[in-house]
Amino acid sequence: MASRRVLSGLRAVRQPPPPPPPPLLLLLLLAPWAVAGHAGKYSREKNEPAPPSKREPAAEFRMEKLNQLWEKAQRLNLPPLKLSDLHTDLKIQERDEFKWKKLKAEGLDEDGEEEAKLVRSLSVILAKYGLDGRKDSRVVSSNFIDHGPDDESLEDPRLEKLWHKAKTSGKFSSEELDKLWRELQHHEEKVQEYHALLETLGGTGESHENAIGPVDLSGVQAEALASRHAELKDRLRSIGQGFDRLRRVSHQGYGAETEFMEPRVLDLWDMAKSANFTEKELESFREELKHFEVKIEKHNHYQKQLEISHQKLKHVESFGDQEHVARNKERYAMLEEKTKELGYKVKKHMQDLSSRISRARHNEL
């Protein structure tokens, strides 16, 4: 009996151990631990970029130099309406510069005249808004709420004299005086832009005109010079016609026959009547001016609302009620964006109408 137990014990000792698990099974058993150990390296969190903590504000313009001018104007604390006008002018400038780049790439500006026009227009913008770094730069304000006829004078003594005569004549209602004031301001801005343009042209035209001996100009240069002088001549003619009309109105009043109310529309209508339009073309132009005036009135409405919102925002900020401040900031931002949008449309429409008059005047229609 004892021998049997010994034999069974020996057999148990000699029995080979169980085989190890296959490699695939071992891999499946260890995989969760391996993945868990390397989760930091291969996890979704590590391989997908984290969302930015704060979104960068989009640039106002696509061209860096225009963004720099816009930021400079904001540092100068220009009035809201003036900033809105500047934004419109810079948008137009940007559009024209991209058009020119396309022309240049196609080899269509060989004489460089289109590029020179862009330089001149940017120089006018710098002077108009006091961004040219000159200490004697004076910006004509168009804010007819914050800076009304009662607390602002005109730079041109001739215009100041017309304004004083109209105020004391008794021939104008309060609404007509407001209209006349806007016309006088608009005329002053035109004169300012003309002088800025004249200065940018500088010695180029004058030196050739005043030279004693003959000046050898290539055909391309002569054509470019003639184009610049034509632009100056058109502007000067518009200024002269505008002043004659303002002098007549300040003496006689507006009268019942006044067809348009907005200064820019009145300017365009006066120029159109002296251009080479046919009777049918002039009538069509008159109808388009009516639509243009409605567009300007809508823009003026938003400008006034923007100025009111600006004053209200400053008032609310002085009390420090964060809820009211946030609400007023939101409304101000909405009005600011709408004013910029309408300002661009008005400026572009006016450029198109002015170009039509210019072409008619030079018999290009």
Side-chain angles (χ1 to χ4, degrees):
M1 192 73 179
S3 61
R4 285 183 183 177
R5 288 177 184 171
V6 171
L7 288 175
S8 63
L10 290 173
R11 288 193 192 99
V13 171
R14 292 175 183 174
Q15 188 175 0
L24 179 60
L25 180 60
L26 187 62
L27 181 62
L28 290 175
L29 291 172
L30 295 178
W33 298 99
V35 171
H38 294 80
K41 183 176 179 181
Y42 297 106
S43 64
R44 178 181 298 179
E45 289 77 6
K46 289 290 183 180
N47 286 278
E48 289 185 2
S53 56
K54 188 175 181 181
R55 190 175 180 178
E56 290 291 329
E60 198 72 29
F61 301 95
R62 293 163 64 189
M63 301 185 72
E64 182 58 29
K65 67 177 181 180
L66 301 185
N67 277 317
Q68 290 174 359
L69 288 176
W70 178 247
E71 291 166 5
K72 181 178 180 180
Q74 290 177 311
R75 290 196 300 270
L76 291 175
N77 292 321
L78 292 182
L81 301 191
K82 210 65 192 176
L83 272 177
S84 177
D85 289 343
L86 171 62
H87 188 275
T88 296
D89 286 343
L90 292 178
K91 276 292 183 185
I92 294 289
Q93 179 76 18
E94 185 173 57
R95 180 202 66 179
D96 292 343
E97 295 223 13
F98 279 119
K99 281 184 178 179
W100 168 75
K101 286 184 177 182
K102 186 177 179 181
L103 285 177
K104 186 180 179 183
E106 297 171 356
L108 299 178
D109 188 29
E110 294 180 359
D111 59 354
E113 177 57 20
E114 293 301 319
E115 183 180 10
K117 284 182 181 178
L118 289 173
V119 173
R120 294 198 296 270
S121 65
L122 186 59
S123 298
V124 169
I125 291 173
L126 294 177
K128 181 179 177 181
Y129 297 96
L131 301 174
D132 52 4
R134 299 186 180 182
K135 294 182 179 180
D136 58 346
S137 297
R138 294 188 67 182
V139 180
V140 178
S141 175
S142 62
N143 292 4
F144 39 79
I145 292 181
D146 193 24
H147 305 280
D150 296 333
D151 57 4
E152 187 175 329
S153 61
L154 297 158
E155 293 183 31
D156 191 333
R158 297 183 306 163
L159 297 180
E160 187 69 30
K161 185 177 179 180
L162 293 181
W163 173 242
H164 179 74
K165 184 175 183 63
K167 279 199 303 182
T168 57
S169 67
K171 297 177 182 178
F172 296 86
S173 65
S174 59
E175 288 183 358
E176 288 174 334
L177 282 175
D178 287 341
K179 175 187 173 183
L180 179 60
W181 175 257
R182 292 199 304 272
E183 284 200 64
L184 292 169
Q185 279 194 316
H186 173 63
H187 185 83
E188 193 160 66
E189 288 177 356
K190 284 201 307 180
V191 173
Q192 185 188 38
E193 288 183 11
Y194 172 79
H195 285 301
L197 180 60
L198 188 64
E199 190 173 337
T200 60
L201 290 174
T204 308
E206 298 299 325
S207 60
H208 291 316
E209 280 194 346
N210 298 328
I212 298 175
V215 178
D216 183 21
L217 288 175
S218 67
V220 172
Q221 288 176 321
E223 185 178 347
L225 187 60
S227 171
R228 295 171 193 177
H229 282 293
E231 183 180 359
L232 281 174
K233 191 175 180 181
D234 285 346
R235 285 180 181 252
L236 192 58
R237 182 190 292 112
S238 172
I239 289 171
Q241 289 177 345
F243 183 78
D244 289 343
R245 184 185 169 281
L246 288 171
R247 182 168 51 190
R248 186 172 64 253
V249 167
S250 65
H251 283 75
Q252 302 172 5
Y254 279 107
E257 73 282 356
T258 305
E259 185 169 7
F260 299 108
M261 296 290 291
E262 287 299 323
R264 283 167 285 184
V265 181
L266 287 165
D267 267 354
L268 289 170
W269 180 234
D270 285 342
M271 289 189 293
K273 287 187 292 186
S274 64
N276 296 326
F277 283 123
T278 65
E279 186 176 344
K280 185 177 180 181
E281 289 169 341
L282 190 61
E283 183 58 33
S284 172
F285 197 83
R286 182 208 301 263
E287 289 302 314
E288 188 164 355
L289 285 179
K290 290 180 181 178
H291 294 296
F292 181 49
E293 187 167 56
V294 171
K295 190 179 291 185
I296 291 178
E297 288 170 353
K298 185 176 181 181
H299 180 228
N300 287 345
H301 167 75
Y302 273 94
Q303 281 187 315
K304 291 177 182 178
Q305 293 302 312
L306 179 66
E307 181 64 22
I308 292 171
S309 177
H310 176 67
Q311 298 296 335
K312 187 174 181 181
L313 178 59
K314 288 199 298 185
H315 176 72
V316 171
E317 283 178 335
S318 65
F319 287 98
D321 187 336
Q322 294 305 313
E323 183 180 348
H324 281 76
V325 168
R327 191 159 53 243
N328 278 273
K329 278 186 176 180
E330 184 178 350
R331 174 169 173 76
Y332 179 79
M334 182 273 292
L335 289 170
E336 185 181 36
E337 195 61 34
K338 188 66 177 178
T339 305
K340 289 176 184 176
E341 176 189 338
L342 288 171
Y344 177 81
K345 290 180 179 178
V346 166
K347 181 88 173 183
K348 184 177 182 300
H349 198 169
M350 185 167 181
Q351 281 188 341
D352 294 341
L353 294 170
S354 299
S355 296
R356 282 177 58 185
I357 294 173
S358 180
R359 291 195 301 269
R361 182 169 285 146
H362 295 93
N363 294 316
E364 293 180 6
L365 280 176

